[in-house]
Structure formats: structure tokens, C-alpha cells
Amino acid sequence: MNGRDLVRSVKLVGSKRGLRTVRSAWRRVRADARALPSRGPERARVPGPVTGAEPGPGGGVVRFARSELRIRVAVGGAVFWGWDGAEPLPSYALPGEAPGADPRAVLEPGTDGGWQVVSERLTVAVSRHGAVELRTPGGVVLRRELPPRWWEPVGGGDARWVQRSEVPADARFFGLGGRASGPRLRDGSYGLWNTDPGGRFGPGDDPLYLTMPVQVVVSDAGTHLVFHDNSWSGRVSLREGKEGAGSGHDRPGMSEVRMDGGPLRCWVVAGTPARVLAGWSALTGAAAVPPSWALGPQHARWGFGSEREVRRIAAGYRERGLALSALHLDIDHFDGHRVFTVDRERFPDLPGLAKELREDGVRLVSIVDPAVAAGAGDEVHDSGRAVGAAGAFVRDARGRVVRGEVWPGTCVYPDFTDPDVRTWWGGLYEERLARGFSGVWHDMNEPVSFTPFGDPSLPRSARHALEGRGGDHREAHNVYGLAMARAGYEGLARLRPDERPFLFSRSGWAGMQRYGGTWSGDVATGWPGLRASLALVLGLGLCGVPYSGPDVGGFDGSPSPELYLRWFQLGAYLPLFRTHAAIDAGRREPWEFGPVVLAGAREVLEERERLRPYWVTLARLARLTGAPYVRPLWWSSPGDRALRDCEDAYLLGDALLVAPVLEPGVSERAVRLPPGRWYDTVSGAVYEGPGQVVVEAPLSRVPVLARAGAVIPVRGADGGVELEVWAPVVGRGGGGTVVGDAGDGWEPVEVERYTTRLVDGRVVVERDGEEGRVGRPVRVRGV
């Protein structure tokens, strides 16, 4: 489902569709040429010297000769600042009202004619020329924002701007949404425009489907997250610093954010990594908890073709004793690729199929694309025309409905930035539920309009409601997928109020976690694609989207048995575990790769299922604390520089360290360990961190290490939950958290906390500090 496949489809169906695609692209170019004339001469502007200040709640306003800066410290510690009168709202990143101001934070005179706001976790110092410094309570500088610069068209129009920043020389950059080259972002330029790359992508491709202007910066001075709340197209350029040798000066790291328009406003959260993500979650909304079944293995293919093939695949998993939680139906099950339809010849009884599969514990998940087939006679199109006064679909600057080319042919696009359109669209999911589907995945929602050249999106001049404010696609594009996710999530919640919705999306923006998760999109089949899969999940987790995963095996092509198994093993230790294949990529079921791969897949599937209670706990903790399921190795030790540079292993919660094999022909690999004792969960070998060790990595398994003292909920032989406790070290305790599985609804959950310690060679496990009150079976390992 990308531009390369479009070329193939044009060859298959002839030149008629290809000509329509070219015409659509030229319509977009002409529309933008008419409605977005050249900017013409521009006038540069900087804040100028300070002229005064006015205290206010949580901070105040500092005035300069040619601008003003509003600073507000929010309850909870997040800091907001906005130039030229920018306020926290309206914002698609925030779920509702902006957090209240912290009354303890006061604007007061600083040094050298500047001003400052002192809060519990940060001091914000403003120079007399508009530079903004973020300092720790001890006075160490985390970040220095240089005075911004605007370029305003002389004839009027939106100002573009640049904000340059300095960070400590040892700092490392992470974030910016889904980046195939991450998770650590090296020197380079990164686009902020959600984009279908037009074919399979690898580590060198940028931007991708889900971008967001969120930087996580880790240095010896501390960790902080910076979010430039602006959905316009832009670009972030990063340059890591360099520490001076001997008496030489440090060269600070640099960040440059350039935006083509929109407000210059920013949020900052600082502290430990856990505190930063907790603050970010509090600001942008708690993560949706997927239904329990969605934490199991899932299988998708573009090209199942018929109910018979779906049954064959489900039977193949069942007969081989392989766990399977869901099967995903792609666009080939639609009638003519039209959304909310079914090809009744190939799928004559979808509800019956869904019921049959569900009795075996397998759910059906449906793809949903935003593009609606244009023309009278399509039920979705006709009902959309009746929404509101002007209909549900995006229009151009002249008031005509925007058309593009997608899988159904000529299509129109719902305007999800209109609340009435979201309500209408959410109601359409009733058809999916009636067919027996248990969840949806959103695709092609950057949004995409096929083109033989240029940007495969809508005209930048296309008009959107933007919650009644009005605006064009330059502002709406990056939040289109987020607004569609909101429409789907809220619709599913209304239609089936007793079940948590299951939704994941290819595109989105800051706050995407409120409505579900995401997946890699069309990652290239190959070892670089395998490495990119891990980078995407880690980067998205640090941006607040904890539930994500790749297309195991890659989107297209034919992985070797070794590559497939290594990808399968990685996927089994990531939140969204989904195998997938394109229409011409062949079958990707584990038994198609021979007995060795099948045995390895069975082993890791059994371990995934054994750890299901741990996955349930991680999902609940992500909502309660903002901590992602998958965390970089430096999560608990951000001051360890070696860990900050490690990108080929990760923490799964607090208890496990996963070291996937990302290269061919490997039977052992080096692993950088965080501080503490670690146990190989298979061999029982003991390793001491911090430091680097070499561990066994045979083809049959991926190395997984458990932290000493950890308490991990696992599925026992009787199907109940038992506690797997890894022996702590003398003098150092441990522990863990367990959240029971309350099902797929909204029932309240109980959080159980356990501690461990070693007393006279005996492992003592206590719940909430009360010895003897455990209440669950305990199995001690590592003694």
C-alpha cells in the first residue's frame, strides 16, 4: 500500500488509472498555485531588547521591543512558554483544558536586566534579548534557547520561524516520532510532515508516517523533553556536541526547529526519564489500554483472498499448537476496495467466520482507510454529503470537494477536524462490529493521494474546520491521522461501551496514545529493516506512544528463514506482535520456513504467552505512569554514557533486558548491561553490570536477561498467575508490580506491589511490606 505498489497496479489495470493519478496530482499543484501565492518579500524580526514584565499565574509575560514571551509553570512541573501571545490552547496534543498554573512559581527580576521564574524542578531564566535558559534547581543548564527569529511576508500572511537551541556537549537526542534511523538521533535534518514514503523504507528514509516535534534529550545534567506545539510542516536539524580535550572548550549540541507557520510555543518537562514520561502523559493524556487479547500474537496478510484461506491459516496455527489472538483483513476483503463494504463472493458470511474464529480464541481485525470512493451510489459517500451544512469532506479554497486517487479510484476525504464529521465517521464502525470485527487498524491516513511525483498528500491549500477555527491543510495535515483515530476510538466506545476499543494507526501526532497505538508501516524486508523496527518502537515510546510494533518479516519481499525467525523473536518481545506480508510477498506463516524456524517460533510464542500477565501489567502501568513497555537501556541510569549510546538492546519493563539479534550468522552477541546483577532466563548464567558481556544467542532463541530481585507475573501451568522471583543480591532488595487482568472492559484494577530481599540465604517475598501476605504462587529462580 504505497507508491511502488501503485506503479505495479497501474501496469495491471492499464493506463486509465495512471492518467487519473497524474490529473489528480496536477489538480493539487494548480490548487496550491492559486490559493497559496508566492510569499514575496519578507521582513525578518527578532524580539529586541526587554522593555518590561508583568507577573501572572505561574509566571507572567516578559515584553520586548518587537514581541512578548508568556511563561507559565503548570501544576505538576511542566513549563509552557509562547511568543507573540501564543497560549496553550487550542491544541490537538492536549486532551482538554490546559493544566492549571502553579501558584508557587513567580516571575521575578533576574541578572543582567533579565527575568526568571523559579519552580520546584526548573528555573526558567530569560535574558534581556530573549534567550531562554532551563536550569536545574542546582543551577546546571539543561537547555538554552537562543532568541527566535521570524520571517513575515511584507504583503501579509503567516510568519515562518526558527528556534535554535544549545544543549550540553554530552547530550544525546531521541524522539521526533517514528524514525527509522533512531532511536538515538544523529547529526542530520528530520522532516515534520507525516508522509507515506512511496515504497518500502529503511533506516535512511525520512520522514515517515508519524512525526511529532517532541525531543527527549539525555545528558549528565539531566533528562528533559521539549515539545514545540505546532502541527505545521517543519524541519528539525540536530548536531551532537563535542567535549573539549584537556583545557579545550566544549562544543554544545545544537537543535534548530524551523516551521513554515503557526505559533511558536513550547512545553518542557524535566527530571528522571520516568518522571519526564509521567509528566508528558499527564499533559497529553493517558495511554489507552488495549484489550487483553490484543497483547497476544496477531497475523495479517494483504491478500488472504477468501474465507477459505482465512480458515486455513487459523487451522494451521491451531493444528501446530501455535498461539494466535487475531487475524487482520486487509483491503482485499472490501468490495472494490471501498471502505465499510465486503466482497460477498469471497467473504459470503463474515459474521459466521468471526463467530467461528472467536470460539477458538481468535478475533478478526479490519483495516479502515479514510479515503471514500467518490460518486453517487457509494453509501458512505452519500451519507457523508448529508453531514452538516457543507458535507463531511475536505474542500479546496474555492469551495469544491477535494479529490484524490487511492485504492478505490477517485476518492474524497472526510474532514476529521470537524466534530460533526468525527461523530458521523465513528457511527460507521457499527457496520464493522456487525460483521464480527473486534478492532480496527487505520491505514493510508497521512492522508495519502497517489501521485507519480512529489508529496502524496492533499493540496496544502485545502480547507479544514479545525474545530471551528478554520484553516488549511498546512496546519491540519499532521493531525489528520490523530483526529481520525479519535473519531474511530470514540465511535467504538459509543457503539460497544462494555469493551475497550482496539485501534492502531499508521499516522498520528502528539497525543496519539489516547486512542490506541501504531505500527511500523511498510518497513523493508532485510536486516536493515529489522534494525529499523526496533528503532521505531523505542522512539515512539519515548514520545508517549507505548503500544507499537513492526510488520514482522518486513512488508514485502521474501525474508530468509534466519531473518524471519530473528524478526519473529524480536516481535514477540514488542507490544504489538503482528506478522504481515504484502500481496506479492508470499506466505509468512511460521511453518512456511521449515522445521527449524517452526520450532524456534513455537518456543518464543510459548514464552510470549507465559509472560502474558507481565504484558497486561505493562499495559496498565503505561496508562498509570506514562512509562513505555519498551524502554532504552539508559532508562534507570541516564547518567551512564555507554548506555545512552546503546541501540541494539532494550528493557522490557523494569524486570527484563532483551538483546535481539539484528545481524545474520550470529550465535553469540555482546550486551551492554545496566548496573546490577542479571540472570540469563534460559541458561541461568549470572552477569554483573554495569559493563559489557557476551551472551549466547543461538538461532533457537533471543537472549533475555532478568534483573536480580525482580518479581514478574507469569502464567502458571494451571493458567493462573504466579510470581517468578529472581534472587536478589545480598544487601540489595528488589521488587515488582502486578496488575491483574480485569478482562477487556473498563473494570477497575488492583495494583499489587511486591518486594524481595535475601535473608540468611533465603529469598523473602512480601506484598506491600507485609511478610507472609503474598497470596499468589511463588517460584524462585537464580538461587
Side-chain angles (χ1 to χ4, degrees):
M1 292 181 293
N2 47 54
R4 185 175 48 78
D5 295 306
L6 169 65
V7 173
R8 180 161 55 243
S9 69
V10 169
K11 291 179 180 178
L12 291 173
V13 304
S15 61
K16 184 176 180 181
R17 182 171 183 181
L19 290 173
R20 289 202 313 266
T21 302
V22 172
R23 292 193 189 104
S24 174
W26 278 115
R27 282 197 304 267
R28 185 181 73 240
V29 171
R30 289 198 302 271
D32 285 346
R34 283 193 302 264
L36 299 176
S38 172
R39 296 177 61 89
E42 295 180 315
R43 182 185 297 111
R45 172 168 63 89
V46 295
V50 68
T51 59
E54 178 183 338
V61 177
V62 182
R63 293 191 173 87
F64 298 85
R66 291 177 290 278
S67 188
E68 67 178 32
L69 173 66
R70 181 179 300 277
I71 304 172
R72 182 182 303 163
V73 179
V75 174
V79 176
F80 170 84
W81 70 76
W83 288 92
D84 286 354
E87 296 276 2
L89 297 177
S91 169
Y92 277 94
L94 275 58
E97 295 297 319
D102 185 345
R104 300 171 297 174
V106 179
L107 181 66
E108 60 187 25
T111 59
D112 299 327
W115 295 82
Q116 66 180 16
V117 179
V118 180
S119 68
E120 180 182 3
R121 299 177 187 174
L122 280 176
T123 294
V124 184
V126 183
S127 78
R128 57 196 176 100
H129 290 292
V132 179
E133 277 191 357
L134 302 174
R135 302 171 185 163
T136 68
V140 178
V141 176
L142 286 175
R143 189 180 189 96
R144 184 170 190 265
E145 305 277 353
L146 303 179
R149 182 181 294 267
W150 296 266
W151 286 269
E152 300 166 332
V154 173
D158 296 290
R160 57 190 180 93
W161 53 264
V162 62
Q163 174 72 73
R164 296 185 176 93
S165 312
E166 296 177 349
V167 297
D170 65 289
R172 296 291 182 260
F173 295 100
F174 302 86
L176 297 182
R179 305 288 167 171
S181 58
R184 173 183 163 195
L185 302 176
R186 263 67 170 194
D187 297 1
S189 183
Y190 301 88
L192 295 173
W193 186 256
N194 292 348
T195 303
D196 178 353
R200 60 184 183 272
F201 70 86
D205 294 304
D206 185 89
L208 298 177
Y209 314 97
L210 200 164
T211 68
M212 59 178 84
V214 177
Q215 296 179 34
V216 176
V217 183
V218 187
S219 67
D220 289 352
T223 301
H224 69 275
L225 179 150
V226 173
F227 168 51
H228 290 88
D229 192 353
N230 184 318
S231 62
W232 283 59
S233 63
R235 187 159 289 276
V236 178
S237 298
L238 302 175
R239 188 194 71 192
E240 292 183 347
K242 185 177 182 180
E243 294 181 289
S247 60
H249 294 289
D250 286 352
R251 187 190 74 185
M254 297 291 295
S255 165
E256 179 184 276
V257 179
R258 288 182 175 269
M259 289 291 186
D260 294 335
L264 203 176
R265 56 183 180 176
C266 188
W267 286 94
V268 177
V269 185
T272 64
R275 177 171 284 183
V276 165
L277 266 295
W280 178 240
S281 175
L283 182 66
T284 60
V289 179
S292 299
W293 59 263
L295 295 170
Q298 304 175 49
H299 184 79
R301 188 203 299 167
W302 180 18
F304 274 130
S306 68
E307 288 185 9
R308 179 180 178 182
E309 179 67 4
V310 172
R311 286 189 173 92
R312 187 188 72 82
I313 297 302
Y317 274 88
R318 183 175 61 254
E319 292 164 1
R320 293 169 176 83
L322 304 177
L324 181 65
S325 290
L327 283 167
H328 296 210
L329 300 191
D330 212 313
I331 57 173
D332 55 293
H333 87 279
F334 289 146
D335 181 6
H337 294 163
R338 292 178 298 120
V339 68
F340 300 119
T341 66
V342 172
D343 184 332
R344 293 183 178 274
E345 289 188 7
R346 292 183 295 153
F347 293 87
D349 184 17
L350 259 183
L353 174 66
K355 182 176 183 295
E356 174 187 323
L357 292 174
R358 189 158 183 162
E359 289 173 353
D360 287 330
V362 179
R363 268 75 169 183
L364 277 184
V365 175
S366 172
I367 192 172
V368 173
D369 289 354
V372 175
D378 182 272
E379 292 184 9
V380 177
H381 177 264
D382 292 346
S383 67
R385 293 179 62 187
V387 175
F393 305 113
V394 176
R395 294 177 178 268
D396 64 19
R398 301 167 71 179
R400 299 178 303 183
V401 174
V402 171
R403 294 171 180 257
E405 284 293 318
V406 201
W407 298 115
T410 301
C411 291
V412 294
Y413 299 82
D415 181 7
F416 297 114
T417 69
D418 184 331
D420 291 339
V421 175
R422 289 198 296 268
T423 300
W424 161 74
W425 186 264
L428 297 176
Y429 288 75
E430 184 174 10
E431 181 271 346
R432 295 288 88 184
L433 296 179
R435 304 282 189 191
F437 289 107
S438 298
V440 297
W441 104 76
H442 288 173
D443 202 352
M444 307 295 286
N445 58 336
E446 289 70 37
V448 171
S449 176
F450 291 144
T451 177
F453 54 87
D455 178 19
S457 66
L458 304 188
R460 299 197 178 204
S461 59
R463 304 298 299 173
H464 291 264
L466 290 168
E467 314 308 317
R469 294 180 288 112
D472 61 37
H473 198 65
R474 292 175 296 177
E475 181 179 357
H477 175 85
N478 281 337
V479 298
Y480 189 89
L482 175 71
M484 181 187 179
R486 178 180 178 181
Y489 184 88
E490 293 177 349
L492 290 169
R494 286 194 307 269
L495 293 165
R496 191 166 286 176
D498 295 333
E499 294 185 19
R500 298 194 303 274
F502 177 54
L503 182 152
F504 64 102
S505 171
R506 193 170 79 172
S507 184
W509 202 62
M512 179 64 213
Q513 73 276 1
R514 300 192 296 265
Y515 313 118
T518 183
W519 95 103
S520 66
D522 302 341
V523 62
T525 296
W527 293 95
L530 173 60
R531 185 175 290 272
S533 297
L534 176 57
L536 285 159
V537 175
L538 281 167
L540 286 163
L542 291 173
C543 291
V545 184
Y547 184 81
S548 67
D551 280 345
V552 168
F555 175 70
D556 62 354
S558 300
S560 68
E562 180 189 12
L563 174 59
Y564 178 84
L565 181 54
R566 291 307 193 188
W567 216 319
F568 199 91
Q569 291 166 339
L570 171 64
Y573 289 99
L574 296 178
L576 173 58
F577 178 22
R578 182 179 94 144
T579 54
H580 186 263
I583 196 167
D584 62 345
R587 293 172 175 171
R588 290 276 185 82
E589 294 72 45
W591 55 87
E592 299 289 349
F593 292 87
V596 173
V597 171
L598 177 59
R602 177 180 291 109
E603 181 176 332
V604 78
L605 277 173
E606 290 173 352
E607 183 64 7
R608 171 84 179 205
E609 289 300 286
R610 192 182 75 90
L611 289 174
R612 183 74 77 90
Y614 188 49
W615 285 105
V616 170
T617 295
L618 294 179
R620 292 290 182 174
L621 291 179
R623 180 169 182 82
L624 293 171
T625 70
Y629 312 20
V630 170
R631 308 164 189 178
L633 290 184
W634 48 260
W635 179 260
S636 299
S637 306
D640 188 324
R641 296 188 179 188
L643 292 179
R644 294 205 295 258
D645 292 342
C646 183
E647 302 176 282
D648 61 355
Y650 60 91
L651 299 175
L652 182 59
D654 286 331
L656 298 177
L657 187 157
V658 183
V661 175
L662 306 176
E663 299 174 348
V666 170
S667 59
E668 61 181 20
R669 57 152 295 176
V671 179
R672 176 69 60 178
L673 295 180
R677 176 173 295 174
W678 297 86
Y679 299 95
D680 188 305
T681 57
V682 173
S683 70
V686 181
Y687 305 99
E688 298 290 339
Q692 182 168 285
V693 299
V694 177
V695 300
E696 296 179 354
L699 183 61
S700 60
R701 66 179 178 91
V702 61
V704 178
L705 309 181
R707 190 191 299 270
V711 177
I712 305 173
V714 298
R715 182 176 289 173
D718 62 354
V721 176
E722 65 180 33
L723 305 182
E724 184 172 86
V725 177
W726 289 88
V729 178
V730 176
R732 285 184 288 172
T737 302
V738 178
V739 183
D741 188 350
D744 296 334
W746 306 93
E747 297 83 2
V749 296
E750 181 181 4
V751 179
E752 308 167 15
R753 293 181 175 86
Y754 297 89
T755 60
T756 62
R757 53 197 173 94
L758 202 62
V759 179
D760 298 330
R762 182 173 65 94
V763 176
V764 177
V765 183
E766 300 172 336
R767 178 175 174 180
D768 295 328
E770 299 180 23
E771 187 173 3
R773 184 175 174 260
V774 176
R776 294 187 183 276
V778 176
R779 183 162 65 101
V780 177
R781 300 185 63 184
V783 177

